[in-house]
Amino acid sequence: MTIVPSSLDKRGQILRELAFTTRRVGEELHGSAEITPEMHVPGTTILRTSILATWADTVSGLLASLVMGPRVPVTLELDVNLYRPAPGEGTVLVVGRVVKVGRSVFVAEFEFTVDDEPIAVGAASFMVAPNPDVQLPPTLSVELPPTTDRLPMPLAERANCERVGPGTVLLPYSIEGLNASDTINGGLIALAAEEAVLSLAPGDSLSFLGLRYLLGARVGPVIAEARLREGVGRVELRDTGNDNRVTTLATARTFGR
């Protein structure tokens, strides 16, 4: 789950620099942000699909917190499907809606537009964090205010997410990359998965990114290893500091540029 804490909390600082804001509109939660060059896929002027996944996780997770709070919702699955490569400039708007509130699982859907042009859709599911001692901040609001924080460099560089070989990426543990349950933020996990696939397809971008979160990455670094065949990628992410356990399985499809 990608919930951005207060500005006094260094957790989530990296993703706070995406300058994403949210507001309630009836039963929906709307989020928006301006695209900057630091959000582009390397070597292109295309917005990263992993950033869309991060914003989708934020909106869906905040909706889940209204139901599951004060317990922390954790993301089970999330997918983003793009109609075409995302633009490299403009204002992104995401609209999140509740689909299901069950006893153990919460589901939300979302739609993305850029300057009123539809670009992507998707859905996410959540469960309550197993540890009852992990709780949301009492001051948490689902309306994230504007911030002056901005990415000072490309996102992968800011997160020290490093391509160490074809199909292999290393993402370190950093307090600035943690979420509300003190695990590596799901948005940065999405970034590592995207980077692993794109290292095998330079200059391309992802038309689909699906993530199955199996275990929180509590120690790090996380290693992401991808295979790509006929434009379809499969990524396995492991927490090397926690007995190399699998934390996330990701599936991706490239546009084949």
Side-chain angles (χ1 to χ4, degrees), residues 117-129:
E117 182 70 23
I119 64 164
V121 295
S125 61
F126 297 80
M127 63 173 283
V128 173

Side-chain angles (χ1 to χ4, degrees), residues 174-257:
S174 165
I175 191 171
E176 291 186 312
L178 300 185
N179 59 23
S181 58
D182 286 330
T183 60
I184 295 177
N185 203 296
L188 297 184
I189 296 293
L191 171 68
E194 179 185 47
E195 279 289 280
V197 173
L198 295 183
S199 71
L200 300 172
D204 210 339
S205 62
L206 300 185
S207 64
F208 170 79
L209 180 59
L211 300 140
R212 292 176 174 84
Y213 295 99
L214 309 176
L215 180 70
R218 298 186 178 281
V219 184
V222 168
I223 189 165
E225 296 181 307
R227 305 187 305 273
L228 184 64
R229 186 171 186 175
E230 301 295 331
V232 177
R234 183 68 167 167
V235 191
E236 188 174 88
L237 297 99
R238 294 178 176 272
D239 186 349
T240 61
N242 186 18
D243 296 327
N244 211 36
R245 293 180 179 176
V246 177
T247 68
T248 312
L249 295 176
T251 305
R253 182 179 289 276
T254 66
F255 277 104
R257 295 167 64 86

